[in-house]
Amino acid sequence: VSQSRYGSFVVVPGGDGCLHTLNKEYGNLAWKKCNTDDISEAVHEKGVIVNSFEGNVQIDEEGNIYAGCDNEYFYCIRADGTMKWKYRTHMMIWTCAVITKDHCYFGSLDFNLYCVNKQTGKLVFRYNTGSEIRSSPLLHEGKLYIGNTNGNVYCFDAVKHNVLWKTDINSIYSSPIVHEDGIIFATFDGDVVKFDLHTGKYIVTGK
Protein backbone atom coordinates (compact mmCIF):
# COMPACT_ATOMS: atom_id res chain seq x y z
CA VAL A 1 0.00 0.00 0.00
CA SER A 2 1.34 3.44 -0.91
CA GLN A 3 -0.06 6.75 0.30
CA SER A 4 0.23 10.05 -1.53
CA ARG A 5 1.56 12.91 0.55
CA TYR A 6 0.27 15.36 -2.05
CA GLY A 7 -3.26 14.15 -2.65
CA SER A 8 -6.17 12.44 -0.97
CA PHE A 9 -5.64 8.85 -2.10
CA VAL A 10 -4.07 5.54 -1.15
CA VAL A 11 -2.93 3.03 -3.79
CA VAL A 12 -3.38 -0.70 -3.19
CA PRO A 13 -1.64 -2.93 -5.77
CA GLY A 14 -3.52 -6.14 -6.49
CA GLY A 15 -2.89 -9.69 -7.58
CA ASP A 16 -5.75 -9.14 -10.04
CA GLY A 17 -3.55 -6.92 -12.19
CA CYS A 18 -5.13 -3.68 -11.00
CA LEU A 19 -4.00 -0.67 -9.02
CA HIS A 20 -6.86 0.16 -6.65
CA THR A 21 -6.96 3.81 -5.63
CA LEU A 22 -8.93 4.55 -2.48
CA ASN A 23 -10.10 7.77 -0.88
CA LYS A 24 -7.70 8.32 2.01
CA GLU A 25 -10.38 9.57 4.39
CA TYR A 26 -13.33 7.27 3.66
CA GLY A 27 -11.76 4.19 2.01
CA ASN A 28 -14.12 4.13 -0.95
CA LEU A 29 -12.77 3.24 -4.39
CA ALA A 30 -11.88 6.33 -6.42
CA TRP A 31 -10.66 4.43 -9.49
CA LYS A 32 -8.75 1.35 -10.50
CA LYS A 33 -6.37 0.86 -13.38
CA CYS A 34 -6.00 -2.66 -14.79
CA ASN A 35 -3.30 -3.84 -17.16
CA THR A 36 -5.28 -6.45 -19.13
CA ASP A 37 -4.58 -4.48 -22.33
CA ASP A 38 -0.99 -5.74 -22.12
CA ILE A 39 -1.53 -9.30 -20.92
CA SER A 40 -5.04 -10.74 -21.34
CA GLU A 41 -7.03 -12.22 -18.48
CA ALA A 42 -6.90 -15.60 -20.23
CA VAL A 43 -3.10 -15.59 -20.28
CA HIS A 44 -3.07 -14.36 -16.67
CA GLU A 45 -5.30 -17.23 -15.56
CA LYS A 46 -2.98 -19.80 -17.19
CA GLY A 47 -0.19 -18.49 -14.99
CA VAL A 48 2.48 -18.36 -17.69
CA ILE A 49 2.65 -14.57 -17.54
CA VAL A 50 0.66 -12.95 -14.75
CA ASN A 51 -0.54 -9.40 -14.25
CA SER A 52 -0.04 -9.26 -10.49
CA PHE A 53 1.43 -6.20 -8.82
CA GLU A 54 3.81 -7.13 -5.99
CA GLY A 55 3.24 -4.09 -3.76
CA ASN A 56 6.14 -2.09 -5.15
CA VAL A 57 4.41 1.26 -5.68
CA GLN A 58 5.88 4.76 -5.44
CA ILE A 59 4.14 8.14 -5.77
CA ASP A 60 5.92 11.36 -6.76
CA GLU A 61 5.25 14.98 -5.81
CA GLU A 62 2.82 15.40 -8.72
CA GLY A 63 0.77 12.37 -7.70
CA ASN A 64 2.08 10.15 -10.50
CA ILE A 65 2.10 6.46 -9.55
CA TYR A 66 5.03 4.20 -10.46
CA ALA A 67 4.65 0.43 -10.26
CA GLY A 68 6.41 -2.63 -11.64
CA CYS A 69 4.40 -5.72 -12.50
CA ASP A 70 4.80 -9.46 -12.96
CA ASN A 71 3.84 -9.02 -16.63
CA GLU A 72 7.28 -7.44 -17.33
CA TYR A 73 5.96 -3.87 -17.61
CA PHE A 74 6.84 -0.87 -15.48
CA TYR A 75 3.97 1.66 -15.37
CA CYS A 76 3.61 5.36 -14.73
CA ILE A 77 -0.03 6.26 -14.03
CA ARG A 78 -1.29 9.81 -13.54
CA ALA A 79 -3.21 10.74 -10.40
CA ASP A 80 -6.49 10.60 -12.36
CA GLY A 81 -5.88 6.98 -13.41
CA THR A 82 -4.80 7.61 -17.01
CA MET A 83 -1.67 6.04 -18.43
CA LYS A 84 1.33 8.37 -18.74
CA TRP A 85 3.78 5.77 -20.06
CA LYS A 86 4.88 2.17 -19.72
CA TYR A 87 8.18 0.41 -20.28
CA ARG A 88 8.60 -3.30 -20.97
CA THR A 89 11.50 -5.32 -19.57
CA HIS A 90 12.06 -9.06 -20.12
CA MET A 91 10.94 -10.51 -16.80
CA MET A 92 8.97 -9.76 -13.62
CA ILE A 93 9.61 -6.54 -11.68
CA TRP A 94 9.58 -6.93 -7.91
CA THR A 95 11.57 -3.89 -6.79
CA CYS A 96 10.41 -0.49 -5.68
CA ALA A 97 11.65 2.31 -7.89
CA VAL A 98 13.86 5.23 -6.98
CA ILE A 99 12.22 8.39 -8.34
CA THR A 100 14.29 11.53 -8.90
CA LYS A 101 13.58 14.83 -10.62
CA ASP A 102 14.43 13.44 -14.05
CA HIS A 103 14.80 9.67 -13.77
CA CYS A 104 13.24 6.49 -12.53
CA TYR A 105 15.49 3.57 -11.45
CA PHE A 106 14.32 -0.01 -10.90
CA GLY A 107 15.55 -3.59 -11.15
CA SER A 108 14.05 -6.64 -12.86
CA LEU A 109 14.31 -10.40 -12.61
CA ASP A 110 15.82 -10.22 -16.12
CA PHE A 111 19.12 -9.29 -14.37
CA ASN A 112 19.01 -5.62 -15.43
CA LEU A 113 19.07 -2.34 -13.58
CA TYR A 114 17.02 0.17 -15.59
CA CYS A 115 17.01 3.94 -15.69
CA VAL A 116 14.20 5.55 -17.68
CA ASN A 117 13.20 9.15 -18.28
CA LYS A 118 10.63 10.13 -15.66
CA GLN A 119 8.52 12.16 -18.10
CA THR A 120 8.58 9.92 -21.18
CA GLY A 121 9.53 6.42 -19.99
CA LYS A 122 12.31 6.28 -22.59
CA LEU A 123 15.35 4.19 -21.67
CA VAL A 124 18.32 6.21 -20.42
CA PHE A 125 20.59 3.33 -19.49
CA ARG A 126 20.48 -0.37 -18.67
CA TYR A 127 23.06 -2.49 -16.86
CA ASN A 128 23.10 -6.29 -16.79
CA THR A 129 24.20 -7.46 -13.33
CA GLY A 130 24.26 -11.15 -14.27
CA SER A 131 21.56 -12.29 -11.86
CA GLU A 132 18.00 -11.53 -10.72
CA ILE A 133 17.42 -8.20 -8.99
CA ARG A 134 14.91 -8.55 -6.16
CA SER A 135 16.53 -5.90 -3.96
CA SER A 136 15.18 -2.36 -4.44
CA PRO A 137 17.81 0.24 -5.35
CA LEU A 138 18.82 2.99 -2.94
CA LEU A 139 19.95 6.49 -3.90
CA HIS A 140 22.27 8.34 -1.52
CA GLU A 141 24.31 11.48 -2.20
CA GLY A 142 24.45 10.95 -5.94
CA LYS A 143 25.23 7.25 -5.79
CA LEU A 144 22.90 4.35 -6.54
CA TYR A 145 23.30 1.08 -4.64
CA ILE A 146 21.78 -2.27 -5.59
CA GLY A 147 22.32 -5.99 -5.00
CA ASN A 148 21.35 -9.16 -6.87
CA THR A 149 20.66 -12.80 -6.08
CA ASN A 150 24.24 -13.79 -6.97
CA GLY A 151 25.36 -11.63 -4.06
CA ASN A 152 26.89 -8.88 -6.18
CA VAL A 153 26.67 -5.39 -4.65
CA TYR A 154 27.00 -2.47 -7.06
CA CYS A 155 27.55 1.25 -6.55
CA PHE A 156 26.75 3.44 -9.56
CA ASP A 157 27.34 7.11 -10.21
CA ALA A 158 23.75 8.31 -10.60
CA VAL A 159 24.77 11.03 -13.09
CA LYS A 160 27.36 9.30 -15.29
CA HIS A 161 25.78 5.84 -14.74
CA ASN A 162 29.15 4.09 -14.49
CA VAL A 163 30.03 1.47 -11.87
CA LEU A 164 32.09 3.02 -9.07
CA TRP A 165 32.66 -0.22 -7.21
CA LYS A 166 31.42 -3.78 -6.97
CA THR A 167 31.79 -6.37 -4.23
CA ASP A 168 30.45 -9.86 -3.55
CA ILE A 169 28.60 -11.46 -0.63
CA ASN A 170 25.91 -14.14 -0.40
CA SER A 171 22.60 -13.99 -2.27
CA ILE A 172 20.71 -10.70 -1.72
CA TYR A 173 16.94 -10.43 -1.54
CA SER A 174 16.61 -7.51 0.89
CA SER A 175 16.84 -3.81 0.10
CA PRO A 176 19.77 -1.80 1.49
CA ILE A 177 19.89 0.95 4.10
CA VAL A 178 22.51 3.59 4.88
CA HIS A 179 23.98 3.74 8.38
CA GLU A 180 26.62 6.34 9.19
CA ASP A 181 29.47 5.72 6.72
CA GLY A 182 28.20 2.39 5.43
CA ILE A 183 25.66 0.66 3.23
CA ILE A 184 23.99 -2.41 4.79
CA PHE A 185 22.56 -5.45 3.02
CA ALA A 186 20.96 -8.57 4.51
CA THR A 187 21.74 -11.84 2.74
CA PHE A 188 19.61 -14.91 2.09
CA ASP A 189 21.77 -16.79 4.61
CA GLY A 190 20.82 -14.40 7.39
CA ASP A 191 23.99 -12.31 7.50
CA VAL A 192 23.85 -8.53 7.83
CA VAL A 193 26.83 -7.06 6.00
CA LYS A 194 28.11 -3.48 6.03
CA PHE A 195 30.36 -1.91 3.40
CA ASP A 196 32.01 1.50 3.13
CA LEU A 197 29.73 3.80 1.11
CA HIS A 198 32.55 5.23 -0.97
CA THR A 199 34.90 2.32 -1.57
CA GLY A 200 32.87 -0.84 -1.07
CA LYS A 201 35.41 -2.02 1.48
CA TYR A 202 34.03 -4.62 3.91
CA ILE A 203 33.36 -3.23 7.41
CA VAL A 204 31.49 -5.83 9.46
CA THR A 205 29.15 -8.86 9.38
CA GLY A 206 26.47 -9.64 11.94
CA LYS A 207 23.46 -11.89 12.36
Side-chain angles (χ1 to χ4, degrees), residues 139-150:
L139 183 67
H140 179 73
E141 295 182 348
K143 297 182 177 69
L144 191 76
Y145 302 88
I146 198 163
N148 66 16
T149 55
N150 268 354

Side-chain angles (χ1 to χ4, degrees), residues 44-92:
H44 172 77
E45 289 174 359
K46 289 180 180 179
V48 179
I49 301 177
V50 295
N51 281 321
S52 303
F53 288 99
E54 297 290 342
N56 46 359
V57 177
Q58 295 281 57
I59 305 173
D60 70 11
E61 67 278 2
E62 298 174 359
N64 295 310
I65 300 162
Y66 302 85
C69 185
D70 284 348
N71 68 4
E72 305 175 357
Y73 281 91
F74 188 89
Y75 296 93
C76 178
I77 311 295
R78 298 182 183 90
D80 63 1
T82 59
M83 181 76 69
K84 186 171 183 180
W85 53 259
K86 58 187 176 183
Y87 181 87
R88 190 169 193 176
T89 66
H90 302 287
M91 198 53 181
M92 298 175 180

Side-chain angles (χ1 to χ4, degrees), residues 29-133:
L29 183 68
W31 54 262
K32 70 176 182 178
K33 180 68 174 178
C34 300
N35 53 25
T36 51
D37 289 342
D38 300 313
I39 302 297
S40 70
E41 290 187 11
V43 172
H44 172 77
E45 289 174 359
K46 289 180 180 179
V48 179
I49 301 177
V50 295
N51 281 321
S52 303
F53 288 99
E54 297 290 342
N56 46 359
V57 177
Q58 295 281 57
I59 305 173
D60 70 11
E61 67 278 2
E62 298 174 359
N64 295 310
I65 300 162
Y66 302 85
C69 185
D70 284 348
N71 68 4
E72 305 175 357
Y73 281 91
F74 188 89
Y75 296 93
C76 178
I77 311 295
R78 298 182 183 90
D80 63 1
T82 59
M83 181 76 69
K84 186 171 183 180
W85 53 259
K86 58 187 176 183
Y87 181 87
R88 190 169 193 176
T89 66
H90 302 287
M91 198 53 181
M92 298 175 180
I93 303 168
W94 289 358
T95 70
C96 269
V98 168
I99 310 298
T100 68
K101 178 182 177 182
D102 299 312
H103 298 127
C104 178
Y105 301 88
F106 60 93
S108 171
L109 299 193
D110 68 6
F111 303 178
N112 288 296
L113 170 68
Y114 290 90
C115 173
V116 299
N117 183 285
K118 179 182 173 182
Q119 299 302 322
T120 66
K122 298 294 184 182
L123 182 67
V124 176
F125 93 99
R126 176 178 58 206
Y127 186 91
N128 190 320
T129 69
S131 185
E132 293 181 351
I133 298 177

